[in-house]
Amino acid sequence: MNAGVQLNAFDPNSLRDLQRLARTDGQSNETLRAAARQFEALFLQMALKSMREATPSSSMFDSEQTRMYQSLLDQQLALNASQSRGTGLSEVIFRQLGGRPDSASAIDALVPSAGVAGGFDLAGVARRPAISAVMQRAGLAAGTSSTGTDPLAGGDALAAAQSALTQSRFADAIRQARDAAGDVVAKVRDFVADVWPHALEASKQTGIPAAFMVAQAALETGWGEKQLRHADGRPSHNLFNIKAGSNWQGETVDRTVTEYAGGQAYAEPSRFRAYSSYAESFADYARLMTRSPRYGAVLGSTSAAGFARALQDAGYATDPHYADKLTRIIGGATLRNALAGMG
């Protein structure tokens, strides 16, 4: 367990402890791992809740009160599981956030071995007796033995079948989470591969490192997944969300977006430029940076933090956390891994 954050389902200070750790240690391995384990605990709580809801209750003691205490127990079980070997999800998140894995094999962390001390087995979780469609097809019914003679003889078989079904559902949920994580990594690499040649060309014109511009495009569009689109679904190719002024003669995309004033968010209808390709988007961004006097400090920035801060100070975005978000992406493992081998 992380010594900095002691997790307890009944302790409202757990999140505060994590915030304290983030303030004192920044993006240290300890902080990133604690945050990743919090996320894994949340995922496990959702998985347990879904399995509970999918299991019909047949207990005479079932009530709102028992369900409340069952929920608290599940919450603590999920927290405990995330602090042991867990499912391996926290290790994936930890590395995506830029954490450096320990000497132990990352594969070992992702695949819990049977019989390993500290592992988590849902077979040990107290469950209400229930009859699923799978069990019914197998001829198992609550209170009825497989032979039909002893009403208690089938109890062990029922528990075994229910345990196997529960663990199967849990394994499917984990498998889907890992597949989704793999899909995200593949999409990030595809996006970076698509824009990298244009970033290199824009870098020649502006002197801004190509990786900095790719990171900004990733922040503005969610690694290409959330770029602005026309009403018919066509992409705008506007990687930097540059707005269209009165002098813009090209196509546009209208959207209501979130802006900030005095630290408060508000919605504002806006019109954005649209391009026919990513090459045009980078070329227009390069013109904006080199021709607008207010971005002079951006062109002279040589560090990630300096580049991001200069953009925000110049008024490129109203989000008060824009510079921090951009700095984290530039220095993060996601971009670093996606750029590996690009040259």
Side-chain angles (χ1 to χ4, degrees):
M1 181 178 289
N2 191 313
V5 182
Q6 302 294 328
L7 295 179
N8 188 305
F10 308 101
D11 183 7
N13 294 319
S14 293
L15 180 57
R16 193 175 305 156
D17 289 340
L18 178 58
Q19 293 172 332
R20 172 188 55 76
L21 186 64
R23 286 195 300 269
T24 57
D25 292 358
Q27 283 191 295
S28 66
N29 270 10
E30 185 181 13
T31 304
L32 295 179
R33 198 175 291 282
R37 285 172 176 168
Q38 282 272 26
F39 185 88
E40 181 180 16
L42 178 61
F43 172 79
L44 292 173
Q45 290 173 35
M46 294 172 63
L48 284 169
K49 180 180 179 181
S50 297
M51 288 186 285
R52 296 286 188 198
E53 292 175 347
T55 305
S57 172
S58 60
S59 171
M60 64 180 292
F61 299 108
D62 183 54
S63 66
E64 287 294 330
Q65 289 74 23
T66 58
R67 284 193 289 272
M68 179 189 71
Y69 285 112
Q70 184 71 71
S71 174
L72 291 174
L73 174 62
D74 289 347
Q75 185 178 357
Q76 188 60 50
L77 286 170
L79 290 171
N80 290 348
S82 68
Q83 297 302 300
S84 59
R85 287 182 69 89
T87 64
L89 180 60
S90 65
E91 185 66 24
V92 174
I93 298 171
F94 168 72
R95 286 184 285 133
Q96 287 294 319
L97 290 174
R100 297 183 179 276
D102 300 327
S103 57
S105 169
I107 298 299
D108 291 340
L110 289 174
V111 185
S113 303
V116 175
F120 182 60
D121 184 4
L122 276 180
V125 178
R127 289 179 292 275
R128 303 187 187 97
I131 307 172
S132 71
V134 174
M135 298 174 200
Q136 289 175 338
R137 287 196 294 271
L140 297 172
T144 303
S145 70
S146 56
T147 62
T149 58
D150 184 354
L152 297 179
D156 291 343
L158 176 62
Q162 188 175 358
S163 174
L165 179 60
T166 301
Q167 293 188 65
S168 175
R169 287 172 178 165
F170 182 71
D172 288 343
I174 297 302
R175 191 176 302 111
Q176 290 172 7
R178 289 179 180 171
D179 291 345
D183 291 342
V184 170
V185 171
K187 289 178 180 178
V188 166
R189 287 176 177 168
D190 290 343
F191 171 76
V192 173
D194 287 343
V195 304
W196 183 245
H198 312 305
L200 289 175
E201 186 61 32
S203 181
K204 296 176 183 177
Q205 302 173 36
T206 63
I208 300 172
F212 290 7
M213 290 183 283
V214 171
Q216 188 179 1
L219 174 60
E220 293 283 349
T221 67
W223 299 96
E225 287 292 297
K226 298 180 181 179
Q227 67 171 294
L228 297 171
R229 292 183 176 275
H230 294 277
D232 59 5
R234 290 180 297 120
S236 69
H237 296 102
N238 190 341
L239 293 172
F240 301 95
N241 288 337
I242 299 176
K243 292 183 178 180
S246 57
N247 295 327
W248 178 251
Q249 301 299 316
E251 286 191 285
T252 61
V253 175
D254 294 335
R255 285 290 184 277
T256 297
V257 297
T258 300
E259 299 288 358
Y260 294 83
Q264 299 297 317
Y266 65 95
E268 179 181 79
S270 301
R271 176 164 295 180
F272 296 87
R273 301 180 183 185
Y275 311 99
S276 61
S277 66
Y278 288 156
E280 286 188 12
S281 180
F282 271 95
D284 196 35
Y285 175 82
R287 283 193 294 271
L288 176 65
M289 291 295 110
T290 55
R291 296 180 182 179
S292 177
R294 68 175 182 170
Y295 294 115
V298 176
L299 300 179
S301 300
T302 57
S303 68
F307 168 73
R309 178 53 57 186
L311 276 173
Q312 183 162 331
D313 291 345
Y316 190 94
T318 59
D319 181 356
H321 303 293
Y322 191 85
D324 293 335
K325 293 175 182 177
L326 181 54
T327 301
R328 285 197 296 269
I329 293 176
I330 294 175
T334 301
L335 179 62
R336 183 168 60 253
N337 293 338
L339 287 176
M342 289 290 178

